[in-house]
Amino acid sequence: MSYDPTPEQQAIIDAARTGDDLTIMAGAGTGKTSTLKMLARDAGRRRGAYLAYNKSIATDAAKEFPSSVTCKTAHSFAYGAVGRNFAHRLNGPRVPARQAAIILGLNEPVKVGETMLAPQQLARLVSETIQRFCYSDDRQIQRMNVPLVNGLDRAGQAELAKYLVPIAQEAWDTDLTQRDGQLRFTHDCYLKMWILTDPQIHADYVLLDEAQDSNPAVAGLVSRQPAQRILVGDSSQAIYGWRGATDAMASFAGRRFHLSQSFRFGPAVAAEANKWLDVLDAPLRLTGYEQIPSRVEYAPDPDAVLCRSNGGAIVRVIDALSQGRRAALVGGGSDIRRMAEAAQRLQAGLPTDHPELFAFRTWREVQEYVEMDSTGSDLRVFVRLIDRHGSHEVMRVCDALVEERHADVIVSTAHKAKGREWGSVLIADDFPEPRAEEGEEVRVARDEAMLAYVAVTRAQRVLDRSGLAWIDRYAVGTPAPVVAKVHPPEATLSEAPDPLAEEVPPAGCSGQRPCFLCDPSVLETWPAPVTAGANRG
C-alpha cells in the first residue's frame, strides 16, 4: 500500500532530486524507511545503494525498494570483494585463548601495576584491540583501540596499551590479513581489509540508514564515496557510543531535514518523548499520530518491561517467576549467566577469564571496587544482584527463560529494545535520577537522556513511565542543562557500561564488543610473571 508523502517527506524527495548530500533527522516512528523508499522510487533509473544496519533489515529492504537500489550491509559489500577469499577461515574452528596466546608468542604472565595478566587474558585483550581497530577509521592500530580494563588505574592502562599495540599490529599484519593465518578470523576483519582499500560503491547515490549508530569505519567509507550521500537516523537515539559507534550525522555537511510526524504512537506518548528531547536540546520535537489514542498511565499488565540494566532486568524476571509467570528476556540470558559463573569462581577463590572480572582475584575485591571506586559504579547493579540472590539463583533464572512467543511478560534492557515496539510498556525503576554534590547543579547526563528517550518511544498505546517520572523536575520550562559522560582515554573499563548494564554480544560473536578468543576454562598453571614491555618470547 502506498501513501501520499507528508510535507516533510516531500521536501526530502524534492531535495534528493538536486543531487545534493542530505542529512535526515528522523524521530522515533516517523517512517524513515518509507521516506527512503519514496525517494528511491522518485529517483527513477538512477542507481542507488542502501547500506542497512543489519542483515534482516537489508533483506526486508530488498523486497520493498525498487530494483535500481542494491540493499546490503557493509559486510555484504565487503564479502563479495574480499571476504569470500577468507571463507575457509570464517568457517574454521574456534581458537581458544590459550592457543591464541601461543600463536601470538605470549608465553608468560605480565604484571601491569598490581594486576597479573595471564597469557590467555593478554590474548583476549589483543583480540579485542584488533576488533576495536576494525570498527575504527584508523589506518594503523592505536593505543585508543586497546580496551579499558576493570581494576587498572590510568597508569596501568597506559602501560598495558603501550605493551599490546605492537603485538596487535603484528597479529593484524602477519596473521589476520593472510589467507593461511591461524588466529580467529571474523567478518569484521574482511570488512576492515576492504575499507582500507578505499573502495568505491558503484551507485549514483548512497543511503546510510541508522547513521547515528554507524561505526567509524563504515561512516568513513560512506563519507569518501564520490556519489550523492544521504544519511538518515536520529541523533537522539545514538546510544551505542560506549561500544565504538559514532554519530555520523553530527559532522556530515549535507543539507539537513527533519521527520517529526510519528506514526507509532499518539500525542500523549509524543508529549512524554518531547520532554527528553527538550533535555537533549534536540533539533526536532515529535508530533503524535492523532488516530492512535495513546495514554500515559499505570499499566498493571504491560506487554513489555524496559530496564536500565541487565541486572535490573533479571530482578524483573525473578519477580515474574515468583508469581508463576513465564518470562522472556530480549537477547537471552547467556551473557548474564556467564557473568554469574565468573562471580561464582571468584567467590570460590578461583581466577576467571571473564573480560569484565579477570583483573580481580576474589569476589571481595569486586565488592570493594564497586563500593569504594567511583569508576566501578556500572558494575554495582550486578554485584548487588549476586550478593542478594546468589550466583546459583541468577543462573537458574537465566535457564528458566522462555521464548518471547511463549512468554507472559517480555523483559528487555532499553538498549536491546531499540528498534522494537509494543502496545503497552512499563519503564522499570532502575533508571537513576541524577544527583550532584552539595552546591553543584543537578544535570541529566546526555547518554542517559538518549536512553530514556529510546525507552519511552517503544510504547504504541499505553506508556507506564513510572521509572522515568522524575523527568518532570527537569523538562518543565526551559531545557535543563545536559552534561555528557566523557570517558578519558585512560579511564577504567567500568566507566563505560558493563555487560550487566548494557547490551554486550556473547563471546564468539562478531558483535560490537566480542571476546572471540576468550576461553572460560580454569587457569591450571600460572608461570612466573614478566613485566609489561619485557620480551614476550
Side-chain angles (χ1 to χ4, degrees), residues 109-117 122 125 151-161 163-164 529-533:
V110 168
K111 188 174 184 181
V112 181
E114 298 301 317
T115 300
M116 190 74 68
L117 299 177
L122 293 168
L125 289 170
L152 284 187
D153 58 19
R154 294 186 178 186
Q157 184 66 42
E159 183 182 2
L160 178 65
Y163 176 68
L164 289 182
V530 296
T531 57

Side-chain angles (χ1 to χ4, degrees), residues 84-390:
R84 60 184 178 181
N85 299 321
F86 292 83
H88 62 290
R89 293 194 65 179
L90 288 167
N91 299 324
R94 180 182 174 88
V95 182
R98 282 192 179 82
Q99 183 180 346
I102 294 172
I103 296 170
L104 293 167
L106 299 169
N107 302 314
E108 298 177 316
V110 168
K111 188 174 184 181
V112 181
E114 298 301 317
T115 300
M116 190 74 68
L117 299 177
Q120 58 266 42
Q121 294 168 334
L122 293 168
R124 187 197 63 78
L125 289 170
V126 168
S127 300
E128 191 169 342
T129 296
I130 293 171
Q131 189 73 23
R132 290 174 177 237
F133 165 66
C134 289
Y135 297 144
S136 75
D137 201 29
D138 300 326
R139 311 293 292 192
Q140 297 285 321
I141 294 176
Q142 310 289 329
R143 291 191 182 186
M144 67 183 65
N145 301 137
V146 177
L148 306 175
V149 177
N150 279 326
L152 284 187
D153 58 19
R154 294 186 178 186
Q157 184 66 42
E159 183 182 2
L160 178 65
K162 182 178 180 181
Y163 176 68
L164 289 182
V165 166
I167 299 173
Q169 187 65 59
E170 181 180 352
W172 175 260
D173 292 338
T174 64
D175 186 292
L176 289 167
T177 57
Q178 307 302 313
R179 296 187 64 181
D180 59 353
Q182 303 177 69
L183 293 171
R184 174 67 170 163
F185 187 90
T186 72
H187 293 276
D188 292 313
C189 291
Y190 68 73
L191 174 61
K192 182 67 171 182
M193 292 166 62
W194 179 61
I195 289 176
L196 287 174
T197 67
D198 293 321
Q200 179 177 335
I201 297 174
H202 298 293
D204 298 309
Y205 62 94
V206 177
L207 306 171
L208 178 61
D209 199 1
E210 298 289 346
Q212 82 283 348
D213 282 327
S214 293
N215 65 50
V218 174
L221 165 71
V222 173
S223 70
R224 291 187 288 272
Q225 294 306 304
Q228 180 186 21
R229 298 158 297 177
I230 300 175
L231 277 60
V232 61
D234 186 354
S235 292
S236 295
Q237 296 189 58
I239 60 175
Y240 290 116
W242 57 272
R243 71 179 193 183
T246 185
D247 182 7
M249 304 173 71
S251 58
F252 191 63
R255 294 172 58 189
R256 294 186 174 271
F257 294 85
H258 294 159
L259 289 174
S260 62
Q261 173 63 67
S262 182
F263 300 98
R264 176 180 298 159
F265 41 72
V269 173
E272 196 66 25
N274 286 338
K275 295 177 183 178
W276 294 100
L277 294 175
D278 285 344
V279 168
L280 288 165
D281 196 22
L284 62 77
R285 299 295 181 273
L286 293 173
T287 299
Y289 192 44
E290 292 287 351
Q291 297 183 36
I292 300 179
S294 293
R295 306 185 305 279
V296 177
E297 62 184 25
Y298 172 62
D301 188 22
D303 297 325
V305 179
L306 303 187
C307 306
R308 172 62 182 82
S309 66
N310 276 334
I314 284 294
V315 169
R316 288 286 175 167
V317 171
I318 291 173
D319 289 343
L321 294 177
S322 68
Q323 298 168 19
R325 305 177 71 200
R326 295 170 298 178
L329 183 64
V330 174
S334 58
D335 293 329
I336 302 173
R337 197 184 200 288
R338 280 192 291 270
M339 195 84 164
E341 290 171 348
Q344 187 178 53
R345 290 187 58 80
L346 290 174
Q347 288 172 329
L350 299 171
T352 176
D353 268 357
H354 192 282
E356 302 300 330
L357 297 174
F358 68 70
F360 302 99
R361 293 169 294 180
T362 67
W363 184 245
R364 183 58 187 164
E365 286 186 1
V366 181
Q367 292 171 317
E368 292 176 351
Y369 175 66
V370 301
E371 296 300 333
M372 305 298 293
D373 193 326
S374 62
T375 60
S377 60
D378 289 304
L379 275 176
R380 192 172 297 138
V381 172
F382 169 71
V383 172
R384 292 178 177 174
L385 178 71
I386 294 295
D387 288 343
R388 178 179 179 182
H389 297 280

